[in-house]
Amino acid sequence: MYLVPSLVMFGCGVFGFITRKNMIAILISLELMLNSVDINFVVFNRFLYPEQTEGMFFTLFAIAIAAAETAVAIALIINVYRVVKNVDINQLTKLKF
Amino acid sequence: MDYSQFLLMPQEMGLLLVFLLVFLYDTFLPQKMQKALPVFTATVFAIYTALSFIPVAAGEAFGGMFVQDPSTWVMKGILNIGTLLVLLQAIEWTNSDFVSVRRGEFYELILLTLFGMFLMISGRHFLLFVIGLETASLPLAALAAFEKNHYESHEAAAKYVFTAVFSSAVLLLGISFVYGLTGTLYFGDIAYYLVGEKSALLIAAVAFVIAGVGFKLSLVPFHLWTADVYRGAPTAVTSYLSVISKGAAAFAFLVILVQVFGAVYTSVWEWMLYVVIAITITVGNLFAIRQRNLKRFLAFSSISQAGYIMLGIIGANTMGMTAMMFYVLVYIFSNLAAFGVIAAIERKTGKVTTDDYNGLFKTNPWLSFTMMLAMFSLGGIPPFAGFFSKFFIFVGAAHQGSVAIYVLVFIALINTIISLYYYLLVVKAMFIRQDECAIPAFKSAWSERVGMALCVLGIMFIGLLSCIYTGLSQISEGVQTLFATLS
């Protein structure tokens, strides 16, 4: 039952990742996906295997990794913004098939 | 805490030492000595690479999270050789005007990503594996954006970081399902709990894990970032991304599929991988034909090569594992030879399309010769190493014995013939086509020449020296425990 919100969150994240045009919004969608996985881990740990804490620890590490990912992504978005003065993903079309 | 456990990871500790030396050199030595930093790094790394081939004791550290055995040892050695070649070829580029201010960061990030890959290879717990994977992929996004004065570099980095984070989210979701099924994250324990398991959740978990790692390996249909990132990133970073990162991911993939999901081999992931391999090889080949930019061309060629590497995994036997490690070794030499030539020409003239290479043989015979050997080896023409690696990988896959695998090997065989067409297009441009305004003759730097000469030696002799394959084979036979739960 507690898995429903996390899966809905993950779905929203994937949907946002595909449909959003603003790079910051895409980043937020990615965060949504990563955090839904964290909830997943905590739910599994709490309700299926309450006698151990492996899932909790994994979540702690996953949060730290997600923070690092956000930092790098923001830095790169700022880099792009400096060049094209825009954070619209449709502007990134110089490299294509 | 028992600190003697760190003695089990001499390669990681050595790499950390190299990193610290480079970092201290970069931070504290005066400006006028900074120009020697690339040579210093390459020298220290060469010493470290030589030392890393001293056999290490097998064992496990940190409660079984980290395992050192002969196969991980030799895989790290192979990656060290590849990284050394990349560092050699990058020396000239990091001393160029636009990059020289931040050349220290380039070397530090490269060494850190290599450390992450070592964790990925040796990790036998999903937490360590994920940390290694992220350490290996996030700094690469920063490296892709390294050429600040080129817009393409920024675009490539943005595309890379979004797809990398997306894929790691998918991978984490798969891991969370595995945790929900088994209640543990140790590879060995998961395998024990998964015996006889056949639920929809498990199939979803395996699919997500394959998708997550498939992004790193750029398997079709998770390959869309590859061409853009390879094209936009600096050539030194592209070569690192295409061989080292791919080799490490392939080995980690093998360990996860065979050890963790070994119990559900025939029922779940054999057919998934079957489809992925068939379309990876075919799509990579077909798209490579229409590329005119050599970096994009090598991107698609590396996608189809990744499909061949996967052929070593789908057999799930020691022969396939040997063939996979051998393939990665040969692929490192062939691909780095090609990238060495491209980098040298790009640095001098800025030209990267096939048409620019018309008549190259007249003006730069040695570069054309190196490029020709690289193309022959990638295509798999007999006396060169590429032929032997392809041969062993086909034998290893076919050894599994089912009719379906024979069909798959046949598909791969047909694709080898298709791939010869576009590899030889490059050779044709250099040797047969004439051009009035061919790239003028120039002398490449000593470091580039050393790097390319090592690659050429590797291409010519790795296939002929049978002791290399035999050694790898003995090592794979020694890690039978990996295949214990296979069914």
mmCIF file with all atom_site columns, all heavy atoms in Angstrom, chain B residues 75 117 119-124 129 133 187 213 246-258 313 324:
data_model
loop_
_atom_site.group_PDB
_atom_site.id
_atom_site.type_symbol
_atom_site.label_atom_id
_atom_site.label_alt_id
_atom_site.label_comp_id
_atom_site.label_asym_id
_atom_site.label_entity_id
_atom_site.label_seq_id
_atom_site.pdbx_PDB_ins_code
_atom_site.Cartn_x
_atom_site.Cartn_y
_atom_site.Cartn_z
_atom_site.occupancy
_atom_site.B_iso_or_equiv
_atom_site.pdbx_formal_charge
_atom_site.auth_seq_id
_atom_site.auth_comp_id
_atom_site.auth_asym_id
_atom_site.auth_atom_id
_atom_site.pdbx_PDB_model_num
ATOM 1   N N   . MET B 1 75  ? 41.183 -7.511  -14.605 1.00 0.00 ? 75  MET B N   1
ATOM 2   C CA  . MET B 1 75  ? 40.338 -6.505  -15.256 1.00 0.00 ? 75  MET B CA  1
ATOM 3   C C   . MET B 1 75  ? 40.826 -5.107  -14.917 1.00 0.00 ? 75  MET B C   1
ATOM 4   O O   . MET B 1 75  ? 40.883 -4.223  -15.770 1.00 0.00 ? 75  MET B O   1
ATOM 5   C CB  . MET B 1 75  ? 38.903 -6.710  -14.778 1.00 0.00 ? 75  MET B CB  1
ATOM 6   C CG  . MET B 1 75  ? 37.873 -6.071  -15.656 1.00 0.00 ? 75  MET B CG  1
ATOM 7   S SD  . MET B 1 75  ? 37.916 -6.717  -17.314 1.00 0.00 ? 75  MET B SD  1
ATOM 8   C CE  . MET B 1 75  ? 37.363 -5.289  -18.218 1.00 0.00 ? 75  MET B CE  1
ATOM 9   N N   . MET B 1 117 ? 35.358 3.096   -10.961 1.00 0.00 ? 117 MET B N   1
ATOM 10  C CA  . MET B 1 117 ? 35.193 1.873   -11.749 1.00 0.00 ? 117 MET B CA  1
ATOM 11  C C   . MET B 1 117 ? 35.769 0.665   -11.031 1.00 0.00 ? 117 MET B C   1
ATOM 12  O O   . MET B 1 117 ? 35.228 -0.435  -11.129 1.00 0.00 ? 117 MET B O   1
ATOM 13  C CB  . MET B 1 117 ? 35.867 2.041   -13.106 1.00 0.00 ? 117 MET B CB  1
ATOM 14  C CG  . MET B 1 117 ? 35.101 2.961   -14.009 1.00 0.00 ? 117 MET B CG  1
ATOM 15  S SD  . MET B 1 117 ? 36.079 3.437   -15.384 1.00 0.00 ? 117 MET B SD  1
ATOM 16  C CE  . MET B 1 117 ? 35.243 4.920   -15.860 1.00 0.00 ? 117 MET B CE  1
ATOM 17  N N   . LEU B 1 119 ? 35.768 0.234   -7.827  1.00 0.00 ? 119 LEU B N   1
ATOM 18  C CA  . LEU B 1 119 ? 34.757 -0.157  -6.837  1.00 0.00 ? 119 LEU B CA  1
ATOM 19  C C   . LEU B 1 119 ? 33.631 -0.929  -7.504  1.00 0.00 ? 119 LEU B C   1
ATOM 20  O O   . LEU B 1 119 ? 33.112 -1.912  -6.976  1.00 0.00 ? 119 LEU B O   1
ATOM 21  C CB  . LEU B 1 119 ? 34.185 1.071   -6.135  1.00 0.00 ? 119 LEU B CB  1
ATOM 22  C CG  . LEU B 1 119 ? 35.101 1.807   -5.168  1.00 0.00 ? 119 LEU B CG  1
ATOM 23  C CD1 . LEU B 1 119 ? 34.309 2.867   -4.442  1.00 0.00 ? 119 LEU B CD1 1
ATOM 24  C CD2 . LEU B 1 119 ? 35.709 0.851   -4.174  1.00 0.00 ? 119 LEU B CD2 1
ATOM 25  N N   . MET B 1 120 ? 33.244 -0.472  -8.698  1.00 0.00 ? 120 MET B N   1
ATOM 26  C CA  . MET B 1 120 ? 32.197 -1.151  -9.449  1.00 0.00 ? 120 MET B CA  1
ATOM 27  C C   . MET B 1 120 ? 32.582 -2.595  -9.746  1.00 0.00 ? 120 MET B C   1
ATOM 28  O O   . MET B 1 120 ? 31.764 -3.504  -9.646  1.00 0.00 ? 120 MET B O   1
ATOM 29  C CB  . MET B 1 120 ? 32.037 -0.426  -10.785 1.00 0.00 ? 120 MET B CB  1
ATOM 30  C CG  . MET B 1 120 ? 30.702 0.093   -11.111 1.00 0.00 ? 120 MET B CG  1
ATOM 31  S SD  . MET B 1 120 ? 30.935 1.236   -12.468 1.00 0.00 ? 120 MET B SD  1
ATOM 32  C CE  . MET B 1 120 ? 30.387 0.248   -13.797 1.00 0.00 ? 120 MET B CE  1
ATOM 33  N N   . ILE B 1 121 ? 33.850 -2.793  -10.141 1.00 0.00 ? 121 ILE B N   1
ATOM 34  C CA  . ILE B 1 121 ? 34.304 -4.130  -10.528 1.00 0.00 ? 121 ILE B CA  1
ATOM 35  C C   . ILE B 1 121 ? 34.377 -5.037  -9.316  1.00 0.00 ? 121 ILE B C   1
ATOM 36  O O   . ILE B 1 121 ? 33.985 -6.194  -9.367  1.00 0.00 ? 121 ILE B O   1
ATOM 37  C CB  . ILE B 1 121 ? 35.684 -4.026  -11.211 1.00 0.00 ? 121 ILE B CB  1
ATOM 38  C CG1 . ILE B 1 121 ? 35.544 -3.384  -12.573 1.00 0.00 ? 121 ILE B CG1 1
ATOM 39  C CG2 . ILE B 1 121 ? 36.339 -5.381  -11.335 1.00 0.00 ? 121 ILE B CG2 1
ATOM 40  C CD1 . ILE B 1 121 ? 36.848 -3.078  -13.213 1.00 0.00 ? 121 ILE B CD1 1
ATOM 41  N N   . SER B 1 122 ? 34.886 -4.491  -8.188  1.00 0.00 ? 122 SER B N   1
ATOM 42  C CA  . SER B 1 122 ? 35.125 -5.332  -7.026  1.00 0.00 ? 122 SER B CA  1
ATOM 43  C C   . SER B 1 122 ? 33.946 -5.384  -6.069  1.00 0.00 ? 122 SER B C   1
ATOM 44  O O   . SER B 1 122 ? 33.923 -6.241  -5.202  1.00 0.00 ? 122 SER B O   1
ATOM 45  C CB  . SER B 1 122 ? 36.349 -4.817  -6.256  1.00 0.00 ? 122 SER B CB  1
ATOM 46  O OG  . SER B 1 122 ? 37.497 -5.429  -6.761  1.00 0.00 ? 122 SER B OG  1
ATOM 47  N N   . GLY B 1 123 ? 32.983 -4.464  -6.215  1.00 0.00 ? 123 GLY B N   1
ATOM 48  C CA  . GLY B 1 123 ? 31.885 -4.415  -5.262  1.00 0.00 ? 123 GLY B CA  1
ATOM 49  C C   . GLY B 1 123 ? 31.021 -5.660  -5.353  1.00 0.00 ? 123 GLY B C   1
ATOM 50  O O   . GLY B 1 123 ? 30.634 -6.082  -6.424  1.00 0.00 ? 123 GLY B O   1
ATOM 51  N N   . ARG B 1 124 ? 30.721 -6.254  -4.209  1.00 0.00 ? 124 ARG B N   1
ATOM 52  C CA  . ARG B 1 124 ? 29.818 -7.396  -4.184  1.00 0.00 ? 124 ARG B CA  1
ATOM 53  C C   . ARG B 1 124 ? 28.621 -7.085  -3.303  1.00 0.00 ? 124 ARG B C   1
ATOM 54  O O   . ARG B 1 124 ? 28.021 -7.961  -2.706  1.00 0.00 ? 124 ARG B O   1
ATOM 55  C CB  . ARG B 1 124 ? 30.545 -8.646  -3.668  1.00 0.00 ? 124 ARG B CB  1
ATOM 56  C CG  . ARG B 1 124 ? 31.606 -9.170  -4.604  1.00 0.00 ? 124 ARG B CG  1
ATOM 57  C CD  . ARG B 1 124 ? 31.005 -9.680  -5.907  1.00 0.00 ? 124 ARG B CD  1
ATOM 58  N NE  . ARG B 1 124 ? 32.029 -10.209 -6.789  1.00 0.00 ? 124 ARG B NE  1
ATOM 59  C CZ  . ARG B 1 124 ? 32.738 -9.486  -7.637  1.00 0.00 ? 124 ARG B CZ  1
ATOM 60  N NH1 . ARG B 1 124 ? 32.537 -8.185  -7.732  1.00 0.00 ? 124 ARG B NH1 1
ATOM 61  N NH2 . ARG B 1 124 ? 33.652 -10.045 -8.414  1.00 0.00 ? 124 ARG B NH2 1
ATOM 62  N N   . PHE B 1 129 ? 28.395 -0.934  -5.221  1.00 0.00 ? 129 PHE B N   1
ATOM 63  C CA  . PHE B 1 129 ? 28.301 -0.885  -6.675  1.00 0.00 ? 129 PHE B CA  1
ATOM 64  C C   . PHE B 1 129 ? 27.733 0.448   -7.142  1.00 0.00 ? 129 PHE B C   1
ATOM 65  O O   . PHE B 1 129 ? 28.252 1.078   -8.068  1.00 0.00 ? 129 PHE B O   1
ATOM 66  C CB  . PHE B 1 129 ? 27.437 -2.044  -7.173  1.00 0.00 ? 129 PHE B CB  1
ATOM 67  C CG  . PHE B 1 129 ? 27.073 -1.945  -8.616  1.00 0.00 ? 129 PHE B CG  1
ATOM 68  C CD1 . PHE B 1 129 ? 28.006 -2.216  -9.593  1.00 0.00 ? 129 PHE B CD1 1
ATOM 69  C CD2 . PHE B 1 129 ? 25.801 -1.556  -8.994  1.00 0.00 ? 129 PHE B CD2 1
ATOM 70  C CE1 . PHE B 1 129 ? 27.679 -2.105  -10.923 1.00 0.00 ? 129 PHE B CE1 1
ATOM 71  C CE2 . PHE B 1 129 ? 25.467 -1.448  -10.321 1.00 0.00 ? 129 PHE B CE2 1
ATOM 72  C CZ  . PHE B 1 129 ? 26.408 -1.724  -11.287 1.00 0.00 ? 129 PHE B CZ  1
ATOM 73  N N   . LEU B 1 133 ? 29.479 3.286   -9.342  1.00 0.00 ? 133 LEU B N   1
ATOM 74  C CA  . LEU B 1 133 ? 28.893 3.694   -10.626 1.00 0.00 ? 133 LEU B CA  1
ATOM 75  C C   . LEU B 1 133 ? 28.740 5.206   -10.697 1.00 0.00 ? 133 LEU B C   1
ATOM 76  O O   . LEU B 1 133 ? 29.062 5.828   -11.711 1.00 0.00 ? 133 LEU B O   1
ATOM 77  C CB  . LEU B 1 133 ? 27.535 3.019   -10.786 1.00 0.00 ? 133 LEU B CB  1
ATOM 78  C CG  . LEU B 1 133 ? 26.844 3.201   -12.119 1.00 0.00 ? 133 LEU B CG  1
ATOM 79  C CD1 . LEU B 1 133 ? 27.272 2.092   -13.046 1.00 0.00 ? 133 LEU B CD1 1
ATOM 80  C CD2 . LEU B 1 133 ? 25.352 3.198   -11.960 1.00 0.00 ? 133 LEU B CD2 1
ATOM 81  N N   . PHE B 1 187 ? 25.472 -9.549  -3.022  1.00 0.00 ? 187 PHE B N   1
ATOM 82  C CA  . PHE B 1 187 ? 25.247 -10.313 -4.252  1.00 0.00 ? 187 PHE B CA  1
ATOM 83  C C   . PHE B 1 187 ? 25.015 -11.797 -3.956  1.00 0.00 ? 187 PHE B C   1
ATOM 84  O O   . PHE B 1 187 ? 24.086 -12.403 -4.472  1.00 0.00 ? 187 PHE B O   1
ATOM 85  C CB  . PHE B 1 187 ? 26.456 -10.166 -5.192  1.00 0.00 ? 187 PHE B CB  1
ATOM 86  C CG  . PHE B 1 187 ? 26.537 -8.829  -5.865  1.00 0.00 ? 187 PHE B CG  1
ATOM 87  C CD1 . PHE B 1 187 ? 25.685 -7.800  -5.514  1.00 0.00 ? 187 PHE B CD1 1
ATOM 88  C CD2 . PHE B 1 187 ? 27.480 -8.604  -6.853  1.00 0.00 ? 187 PHE B CD2 1
ATOM 89  C CE1 . PHE B 1 187 ? 25.763 -6.564  -6.129  1.00 0.00 ? 187 PHE B CE1 1
ATOM 90  C CE2 . PHE B 1 187 ? 27.570 -7.374  -7.477  1.00 0.00 ? 187 PHE B CE2 1
ATOM 91  C CZ  . PHE B 1 187 ? 26.721 -6.357  -7.111  1.00 0.00 ? 187 PHE B CZ  1
ATOM 92  N N   . VAL B 1 213 ? 22.220 -0.274  -16.332 1.00 0.00 ? 213 VAL B N   1
ATOM 93  C CA  . VAL B 1 213 ? 23.603 -0.499  -16.714 1.00 0.00 ? 213 VAL B CA  1
ATOM 94  C C   . VAL B 1 213 ? 23.758 -0.381  -18.232 1.00 0.00 ? 213 VAL B C   1
ATOM 95  O O   . VAL B 1 213 ? 24.804 0.029   -18.719 1.00 0.00 ? 213 VAL B O   1
ATOM 96  C CB  . VAL B 1 213 ? 24.106 -1.859  -16.203 1.00 0.00 ? 213 VAL B CB  1
ATOM 97  C CG1 . VAL B 1 213 ? 25.584 -1.994  -16.430 1.00 0.00 ? 213 VAL B CG1 1
ATOM 98  C CG2 . VAL B 1 213 ? 23.825 -2.000  -14.728 1.00 0.00 ? 213 VAL B CG2 1
ATOM 99  N N   . LYS B 1 246 ? 33.324 1.840   -20.648 1.00 0.00 ? 246 LYS B N   1
ATOM 100 C CA  . LYS B 1 246 ? 32.576 0.720   -21.201 1.00 0.00 ? 246 LYS B CA  1
ATOM 101 C C   . LYS B 1 246 ? 33.111 -0.622  -20.692 1.00 0.00 ? 246 LYS B C   1
ATOM 102 O O   . LYS B 1 246 ? 32.343 -1.515  -20.331 1.00 0.00 ? 246 LYS B O   1
ATOM 103 C CB  . LYS B 1 246 ? 32.646 0.781   -22.719 1.00 0.00 ? 246 LYS B CB  1
ATOM 104 C CG  . LYS B 1 246 ? 31.599 -0.008  -23.394 1.00 0.00 ? 246 LYS B CG  1
ATOM 105 C CD  . LYS B 1 246 ? 31.463 0.417   -24.827 1.00 0.00 ? 246 LYS B CD  1
ATOM 106 C CE  . LYS B 1 246 ? 30.503 1.573   -24.965 1.00 0.00 ? 246 LYS B CE  1
ATOM 107 N NZ  . LYS B 1 246 ? 30.157 1.843   -26.343 1.00 0.00 ? 246 LYS B NZ  1
ATOM 108 N N   . GLY B 1 247 ? 34.440 -0.752  -20.646 1.00 0.00 ? 247 GLY B N   1
ATOM 109 C CA  . GLY B 1 247 ? 35.028 -2.006  -20.183 1.00 0.00 ? 247 GLY B CA  1
ATOM 110 C C   . GLY B 1 247 ? 34.649 -2.307  -18.742 1.00 0.00 ? 247 GLY B C   1
ATOM 111 O O   . GLY B 1 247 ? 34.253 -3.427  -18.405 1.00 0.00 ? 247 GLY B O   1
ATOM 112 N N   . ALA B 1 248 ? 34.728 -1.267  -17.872 1.00 0.00 ? 248 ALA B N   1
ATOM 113 C CA  . ALA B 1 248 ? 34.395 -1.473  -16.463 1.00 0.00 ? 248 ALA B CA  1
ATOM 114 C C   . ALA B 1 248 ? 32.928 -1.854  -16.311 1.00 0.00 ? 248 ALA B C   1
ATOM 115 O O   . ALA B 1 248 ? 32.584 -2.788  -15.577 1.00 0.00 ? 248 ALA B O   1
ATOM 116 C CB  . ALA B 1 248 ? 34.702 -0.210  -15.665 1.00 0.00 ? 248 ALA B CB  1
ATOM 117 N N   . ALA B 1 249 ? 32.059 -1.133  -17.039 1.00 0.00 ? 249 ALA B N   1
ATOM 118 C CA  . ALA B 1 249 ? 30.630 -1.425  -16.930 1.00 0.00 ? 249 ALA B CA  1
ATOM 119 C C   . ALA B 1 249 ? 30.332 -2.840  -17.418 1.00 0.00 ? 249 ALA B C   1
ATOM 120 O O   . ALA B 1 249 ? 29.502 -3.543  -16.835 1.00 0.00 ? 249 ALA B O   1
ATOM 121 C CB  . ALA B 1 249 ? 29.817 -0.410  -17.729 1.00 0.00 ? 249 ALA B CB  1
ATOM 122 N N   . ALA B 1 250 ? 31.034 -3.276  -18.483 1.00 0.00 ? 250 ALA B N   1
ATOM 123 C CA  . ALA B 1 250 ? 30.780 -4.619  -19.009 1.00 0.00 ? 250 ALA B CA  1
ATOM 124 C C   . ALA B 1 250 ? 31.123 -5.672  -17.972 1.00 0.00 ? 250 ALA B C   1
ATOM 125 O O   . ALA B 1 250 ? 30.365 -6.619  -17.749 1.00 0.00 ? 250 ALA B O   1
ATOM 126 C CB  . ALA B 1 250 ? 31.589 -4.844  -20.287 1.00 0.00 ? 250 ALA B CB  1
ATOM 127 N N   . PHE B 1 251 ? 32.270 -5.501  -17.299 1.00 0.00 ? 251 PHE B N   1
ATOM 128 C CA  . PHE B 1 251 ? 32.651 -6.510  -16.305 1.00 0.00 ? 251 PHE B CA  1
ATOM 129 C C   . PHE B 1 251 ? 31.675 -6.519  -15.132 1.00 0.00 ? 251 PHE B C   1
ATOM 130 O O   . PHE B 1 251 ? 31.245 -7.589  -14.668 1.00 0.00 ? 251 PHE B O   1
ATOM 131 C CB  . PHE B 1 251 ? 34.072 -6.251  -15.808 1.00 0.00 ? 251 PHE B CB  1
ATOM 132 C CG  . PHE B 1 251 ? 34.592 -7.352  -14.952 1.00 0.00 ? 251 PHE B CG  1
ATOM 133 C CD1 . PHE B 1 251 ? 35.152 -8.471  -15.527 1.00 0.00 ? 251 PHE B CD1 1
ATOM 134 C CD2 . PHE B 1 251 ? 34.488 -7.302  -13.576 1.00 0.00 ? 251 PHE B CD2 1
ATOM 135 C CE1 . PHE B 1 251 ? 35.606 -9.511  -14.752 1.00 0.00 ? 251 PHE B CE1 1
ATOM 136 C CE2 . PHE B 1 251 ? 34.938 -8.332  -12.789 1.00 0.00 ? 251 PHE B CE2 1
ATOM 137 C CZ  . PHE B 1 251 ? 35.509 -9.443  -13.381 1.00 0.00 ? 251 PHE B CZ  1
ATOM 138 N N   . ALA B 1 252 ? 31.297 -5.312  -14.656 1.00 0.00 ? 252 ALA B N   1
ATOM 139 C CA  . ALA B 1 252 ? 30.350 -5.251  -13.544 1.00 0.00 ? 252 ALA B CA  1
ATOM 140 C C   . ALA B 1 252 ? 29.012 -5.870  -13.938 1.00 0.00 ? 252 ALA B C   1
ATOM 141 O O   . ALA B 1 252 ? 28.370 -6.556  -13.133 1.00 0.00 ? 252 ALA B O   1
ATOM 142 C CB  . ALA B 1 252 ? 30.159 -3.801  -13.112 1.00 0.00 ? 252 ALA B CB  1
ATOM 143 N N   . PHE B 1 253 ? 28.621 -5.655  -15.188 1.00 0.00 ? 253 PHE B N   1
ATOM 144 C CA  . PHE B 1 253 ? 27.378 -6.209  -15.703 1.00 0.00 ? 253 PHE B CA  1
ATOM 145 C C   . PHE B 1 253 ? 27.430 -7.732  -15.659 1.00 0.00 ? 253 PHE B C   1
ATOM 146 O O   . PHE B 1 253 ? 26.481 -8.396  -15.240 1.00 0.00 ? 253 PHE B O   1
ATOM 147 C CB  . PHE B 1 253 ? 27.210 -5.725  -17.147 1.00 0.00 ? 253 PHE B CB  1
ATOM 148 C CG  . PHE B 1 253 ? 25.792 -5.683  -17.621 1.00 0.00 ? 253 PHE B CG  1
ATOM 149 C CD1 . PHE B 1 253 ? 24.737 -5.619  -16.731 1.00 0.00 ? 253 PHE B CD1 1
ATOM 150 C CD2 . PHE B 1 253 ? 25.510 -5.677  -18.971 1.00 0.00 ? 253 PHE B CD2 1
ATOM 151 C CE1 . PHE B 1 253 ? 23.442 -5.559  -17.174 1.00 0.00 ? 253 PHE B CE1 1
ATOM 152 C CE2 . PHE B 1 253 ? 24.212 -5.616  -19.426 1.00 0.00 ? 253 PHE B CE2 1
ATOM 153 C CZ  . PHE B 1 253 ? 23.184 -5.557  -18.527 1.00 0.00 ? 253 PHE B CZ  1
ATOM 154 N N   . LEU B 1 254 ? 28.576 -8.269  -16.087 1.00 0.00 ? 254 LEU B N   1
ATOM 155 C CA  . LEU B 1 254 ? 28.749 -9.724  -16.065 1.00 0.00 ? 254 LEU B CA  1
ATOM 156 C C   . LEU B 1 254 ? 28.571 -10.259 -14.649 1.00 0.00 ? 254 LEU B C   1
ATOM 157 O O   . LEU B 1 254 ? 27.841 -11.219 -14.415 1.00 0.00 ? 254 LEU B O   1
ATOM 158 C CB  . LEU B 1 254 ? 30.134 -10.090 -16.598 1.00 0.00 ? 254 LEU B CB  1
ATOM 159 C CG  . LEU B 1 254 ? 30.481 -11.565 -16.475 1.00 0.00 ? 254 LEU B CG  1
ATOM 160 C CD1 . LEU B 1 254 ? 30.112 -12.289 -17.743 1.00 0.00 ? 254 LEU B CD1 1
ATOM 161 C CD2 . LEU B 1 254 ? 31.922 -11.797 -16.177 1.00 0.00 ? 254 LEU B CD2 1
ATOM 162 N N   . VAL B 1 255 ? 29.234 -9.597  -13.679 1.00 0.00 ? 255 VAL B N   1
ATOM 163 C CA  . VAL B 1 255 ? 29.168 -10.073 -12.302 1.00 0.00 ? 255 VAL B CA  1
ATOM 164 C C   . VAL B 1 255 ? 27.726 -10.028 -11.797 1.00 0.00 ? 255 VAL B C   1
ATOM 165 O O   . VAL B 1 255 ? 27.228 -10.986 -11.204 1.00 0.00 ? 255 VAL B O   1
ATOM 166 C CB  . VAL B 1 255 ? 30.094 -9.239  -11.395 1.00 0.00 ? 255 VAL B CB  1
ATOM 167 C CG1 . VAL B 1 255 ? 29.837 -9.577  -9.939  1.00 0.00 ? 255 VAL B CG1 1
ATOM 168 C CG2 . VAL B 1 255 ? 31.525 -9.500  -11.759 1.00 0.00 ? 255 VAL B CG2 1
ATOM 169 N N   . ILE B 1 256 ? 27.024 -8.906  -12.084 1.00 0.00 ? 256 ILE B N   1
ATOM 170 C CA  . ILE B 1 256 ? 25.654 -8.785  -11.573 1.00 0.00 ? 256 ILE B CA  1
ATOM 171 C C   . ILE B 1 256 ? 24.748 -9.837  -12.199 1.00 0.00 ? 256 ILE B C   1
ATOM 172 O O   . ILE B 1 256 ? 24.021 -10.548 -11.510 1.00 0.00 ? 256 ILE B O   1
ATOM 173 C CB  . ILE B 1 256 ? 25.106 -7.382  -11.864 1.00 0.00 ? 256 ILE B CB  1
ATOM 174 C CG1 . ILE B 1 256 ? 25.797 -6.378  -10.953 1.00 0.00 ? 256 ILE B CG1 1
ATOM 175 C CG2 . ILE B 1 256 ? 23.609 -7.324  -11.635 1.00 0.00 ? 256 ILE B CG2 1
ATOM 176 C CD1 . ILE B 1 256 ? 25.237 -5.021  -11.044 1.00 0.00 ? 256 ILE B CD1 1
ATOM 177 N N   . LEU B 1 257 ? 24.816 -9.957  -13.536 1.00 0.00 ? 257 LEU B N   1
ATOM 178 C CA  . LEU B 1 257 ? 23.895 -10.887 -14.191 1.00 0.00 ? 257 LEU B CA  1
ATOM 179 C C   . LEU B 1 257 ? 24.178 -12.321 -13.788 1.00 0.00 ? 257 LEU B C   1
ATOM 180 O O   . LEU B 1 257 ? 23.270 -13.091 -13.504 1.00 0.00 ? 257 LEU B O   1
ATOM 181 C CB  . LEU B 1 257 ? 23.995 -10.738 -15.709 1.00 0.00 ? 257 LEU B CB  1
ATOM 182 C CG  . LEU B 1 257 ? 23.335 -9.493  -16.274 1.00 0.00 ? 257 LEU B CG  1
ATOM 183 C CD1 . LEU B 1 257 ? 23.536 -9.407  -17.762 1.00 0.00 ? 257 LEU B CD1 1
ATOM 184 C CD2 . LEU B 1 257 ? 21.852 -9.501  -15.965 1.00 0.00 ? 257 LEU B CD2 1
ATOM 185 N N   . VAL B 1 258 ? 25.479 -12.685 -13.745 1.00 0.00 ? 258 VAL B N   1
ATOM 186 C CA  . VAL B 1 258 ? 25.801 -14.083 -13.503 1.00 0.00 ? 258 VAL B CA  1
ATOM 187 C C   . VAL B 1 258 ? 25.699 -14.433 -12.024 1.00 0.00 ? 258 VAL B C   1
ATOM 188 O O   . VAL B 1 258 ? 25.151 -15.458 -11.652 1.00 0.00 ? 258 VAL B O   1
ATOM 189 C CB  . VAL B 1 258 ? 27.204 -14.398 -14.051 1.00 0.00 ? 258 VAL B CB  1
ATOM 190 C CG1 . VAL B 1 258 ? 27.626 -15.779 -13.624 1.00 0.00 ? 258 VAL B CG1 1
ATOM 191 C CG2 . VAL B 1 258 ? 27.194 -14.312 -15.554 1.00 0.00 ? 258 VAL B CG2 1
ATOM 192 N N   . ILE B 1 313 ? 28.779 -12.197 -22.435 1.00 0.00 ? 313 ILE B N   1
ATOM 193 C CA  . ILE B 1 313 ? 28.041 -12.346 -21.180 1.00 0.00 ? 313 ILE B CA  1
ATOM 194 C C   . ILE B 1 313 ? 26.882 -13.311 -21.350 1.00 0.00 ? 313 ILE B C   1
ATOM 195 O O   . ILE B 1 313 ? 26.587 -14.106 -20.464 1.00 0.00 ? 313 ILE B O   1
ATOM 196 C CB  . ILE B 1 313 ? 27.535 -10.974 -20.694 1.00 0.00 ? 313 ILE B CB  1
ATOM 197 C CG1 . ILE B 1 313 ? 28.728 -10.085 -20.384 1.00 0.00 ? 313 ILE B CG1 1
ATOM 198 C CG2 . ILE B 1 313 ? 26.649 -11.115 -19.485 1.00 0.00 ? 313 ILE B CG2 1
ATOM 199 C CD1 . ILE B 1 313 ? 28.357 -8.727  -19.908 1.00 0.00 ? 313 ILE B CD1 1
ATOM 200 N N   . MET B 1 324 ? 35.277 -12.094 -23.129 1.00 0.00 ? 324 MET B N   1
ATOM 201 C CA  . MET B 1 324 ? 34.888 -10.715 -22.880 1.00 0.00 ? 324 MET B CA  1
ATOM 202 C C   . MET B 1 324 ? 36.069 -9.878  -22.409 1.00 0.00 ? 324 MET B C   1
ATOM 203 O O   . MET B 1 324 ? 36.288 -8.774  -22.891 1.00 0.00 ? 324 MET B O   1
ATOM 204 C CB  . MET B 1 324 ? 33.774 -10.664 -21.845 1.00 0.00 ? 324 MET B CB  1
ATOM 205 C CG  . MET B 1 324 ? 33.126 -9.317  -21.744 1.00 0.00 ? 324 MET B CG  1
ATOM 206 S SD  . MET B 1 324 ? 32.467 -9.037  -20.116 1.00 0.00 ? 324 MET B SD  1
ATOM 207 C CE  . MET B 1 324 ? 33.932 -8.667  -19.210 1.00 0.00 ? 324 MET B CE  1
#
